[in-house]
Amino acid sequence: MFKIGSCKLLITNRNKVRKINRAIKIRIYPDTNQRIQIEKTIGCSRFIYNCMLADKVEYYTKEKKMLRNTPARYKKEYPWLKEVDSLALANVQMHLESAFRKFFREPSTGFHASNQRSHRKDLIRQM
C-alpha cells in the first residue's frame, strides 16, 4: 500500500492561514513484468547506494574530502544497471549526497560504529 499526501491551505477569518493535510491510500496490482521491473529498480537502487557509500567512505578516510561520484560511473562496470530507470539511480545519488552534506555540517556525529537496529536490540536486552 502506498500513501500519497497532499497539502491544502485554508484562509480563515482575520487572514490566518491554517494548514490541512489530506492522505489518499492507493493500492497497486502490478502484473508480472511490472513486478519484476519494480524489484530490479529497488535492488539496483540499494546496490548503487551501497557502492557509492563505500567509495565515499573510503575516499573520505584517505583524503578527508567529499567524493563526487555518479551512477554513470558504475554503469560501465555493471552493465545490468542500465536496465532500470536512470532517474531512480539519480535519486539515490541525491539522497546520498544530502546525507553526506549533513555529515560535513555536523562533523561531531562521526561514523556510526553499528546500525541503529542492533543498538536498539541491545538496549532492549539490557532492560
Side-chain angles (χ1 to χ4, degrees):
M1 253 202 224
F2 296 99
K3 285 186 180 178
I4 299 174
S6 62
C7 181
K8 185 177 179 181
L9 293 177
L10 179 71
I11 298 177
T12 62
N13 297 352
R14 300 181 194 150
N15 294 329
K16 292 183 181 178
V17 177
R18 200 172 69 188
K19 187 174 163 181
I20 298 174
N21 292 321
R22 291 185 176 177
I24 302 170
K25 291 184 180 181
I26 298 175
R27 184 172 176 104
I28 59 172
Y29 298 98
D31 62 10
T32 308
N33 292 334
Q34 291 171 336
R35 185 178 300 248
I36 290 170
Q37 190 63 31
I38 290 169
E39 289 172 359
K40 280 183 182 180
T41 303
I42 292 170
C44 288
S45 297
R46 186 179 299 129
F47 176 80
I48 211 76
Y49 186 92
N50 290 333
C51 285
M52 291 176 75
L53 180 62
D55 290 345
K56 283 182 178 290
V57 168
E58 182 181 339
Y59 185 79
Y60 178 75
T61 54
K62 289 180 184 176
E63 303 290 326
K64 298 295 183 201
K65 293 182 183 177
M66 187 171 156
L67 174 66
R68 304 249 187 240
N69 52 354
T70 62
R73 186 179 120 194
Y74 298 97
K75 286 183 181 180
K76 295 172 187 171
E77 192 174 343
Y78 306 103
W80 44 267
L81 288 172
K82 295 177 184 177
E83 295 176 11
V84 300
D85 186 27
S86 62
L87 291 177
L89 301 180
N91 283 333
V92 169
Q93 177 189 6
M94 283 186 353
H95 292 304
L96 186 61
E97 293 284 330
S98 66
F100 243 72
R101 262 188 257 113
K102 183 179 177 183
F103 168 74
F104 281 106
R105 262 187 277 139
E106 301 167 12
S108 61
T109 57
F111 286 113
H112 292 285
S114 64
N115 64 15
Q116 289 180 334
R117 287 184 184 170
S118 65
H119 181 68
R120 227 179 303 150
K121 288 178 184 176
D122 291 342
L123 290 175
I124 292 170
R125 286 183 193 138
Q126 290 174 359
M127 294 177 153

